[in-house]
Amino acid sequence: MRSVRLLGSVLGSALLLLGLAAAPAAAGSTPSADPSGDPDAPTEAGTSFRTATEIGQGQRATASGSAGDYLYWSFPADTGQRPTVRATVQLPEAHAAETWQLDVYDGLRRRQACQYGAQTRTAPRDASSVELACVLRTVRAWSEPWANDPLPGTYYIRLTATGLATSDLGLPVDAEVRVGSEDVGGSAAVDGSLAEPLVPGIASRPERDTGHAEDGDSAVLSDLEPEDGWASGRWSDRWVWTAAGGALAALAGVGGYALTRGGGRPSRVPPGV
């Protein structure tokens, strides 16, 4: 009976450890806040990597332009995040078939492949809008120099039309982009980290932020970073799962010993005792 009670306590402790280990992972998978109604949302886009407009994750950015323009935005992505970029282009009332493309580049301006999503789409003749999406691979804390893995730092969004009829060049369009991410956690952790995140870009700041009136937009060093700062591999819930696994192994050993040892007096008692 004592062995059964001991085994029950071992199983209870194991379930408690599993719950504690799963808590950080569940907290990290919370979806991004609804970006609608943000008064500070950017309303312009840059025309190159150098003048890319900064946006934060969970923020909605809009811009007006002309068909044939290149529109650029930039956002931060940290270790363990899997960013998702979505774009919607509102087209003029009358137009020919148009092909639009959404590209994402890292801080070294290397084009990043999309895991899935409609990165390129053709809008039929006179369609009112076209929607694009790109789900990137999980951002790694460290990578081999020859690899093209996504690393923590600045990421650039480029939106443009790749197939236009001559009659559609210069027609007005309205674009909207949104960036969110899923926190993958320790399942994507690696042994290693960058000394600094890849934030080499230049970002366009509005006049009201810089105080320079002579040129309207002033180029300054980018200060993009996540709300909680750069992690760069310092912490991962993999440590929690490792500790929980060690504790479970120890508890399993104690429970197994209790079951095999048995309890009470020996079944055979020597004569005369």
Side-chain angles (χ1 to χ4, degrees):
M1 189 69 179
R2 183 173 58 185
S3 299
V4 175
R5 288 197 300 267
L6 179 59
L7 181 59
S9 64
V10 169
L11 291 176
S13 301
L15 292 174
L16 177 61
L17 285 173
L18 283 175
L20 293 175
S29 61
T30 304
S32 301
D34 185 5
S36 59
D38 184 0
D40 298 325
T43 56
E44 295 181 353
T47 56
S48 67
F49 288 103
R50 177 181 173 84
T51 59
T53 298
E54 296 179 2
I55 61 175
Q57 292 194 21
Q59 200 171 30
R60 170 180 173 269
T62 58
S64 297
S66 301
D69 290 346
Y70 286 91
L71 304 178
Y72 287 83
W73 295 267
S74 60
F75 67 94
D78 204 2
T79 303
Q81 293 182 340
R82 182 181 295 158
T84 298
V85 181
R86 302 183 185 277
T88 302
V89 183
Q90 299 294 333
L91 303 173
E93 293 183 0
H95 63 84
E98 299 182 359
T99 300
W100 285 80
Q101 182 166 315
L102 177 69
D103 295 309
V104 182
Y105 299 82
D106 66 6
L108 298 179
R109 300 186 185 179
R110 302 176 302 180
R111 184 175 180 273
Q112 292 295 315
C114 301
Q115 276 191 314
Y116 50 89
Q119 184 181 6
T120 302
R121 267 188 173 174
T122 299
R125 181 183 182 88
D126 298 336
S128 60
S129 64
V130 59
E131 295 186 357
L132 306 168
C134 175
V135 180
L136 297 174
R137 294 171 295 166
T138 303
V139 177
R140 296 163 57 90
W142 179 84
S143 178
E144 295 287 350
W146 47 261
N148 194 34
D149 296 319
L151 296 170
T154 301
Y155 282 76
Y156 297 94
I157 304 169
R158 186 178 72 181
L159 178 64
T160 188
T162 59
L164 281 176
T166 305
S167 59
D168 287 348
L169 285 173
L171 291 179
V173 294
D174 293 320
E176 174 186 314
V177 296
R178 302 173 302 280
V179 179
S181 67
E182 177 185 358
D183 192 352
V184 177
S187 61
V190 295
D191 294 329
S193 63
L194 296 180
E196 295 290 342
L198 301 178
V199 188
I202 301 295
S204 174
R205 285 296 195 182
E207 176 185 338
R208 58 183 172 83
D209 291 342
T210 61
H212 297 291
E214 61 273 12
D215 56 0
D217 286 344
S218 177
V220 297
L221 288 175
S222 174
D223 60 353
L224 284 173
E225 67 175 37
E227 293 182 359
D228 299 329
W230 296 104
S232 297
R234 289 194 302 267
W235 167 254
S236 167
D237 57 11
R238 184 174 64 168
W239 293 99
V240 179
W241 286 102
T242 302
L248 286 174
L251 291 173
V254 173
Y257 174 76
L259 288 176
T260 56
R261 178 191 175 198
R265 297 182 63 186
S267 58
R268 300 183 63 183
V269 182
V273 177

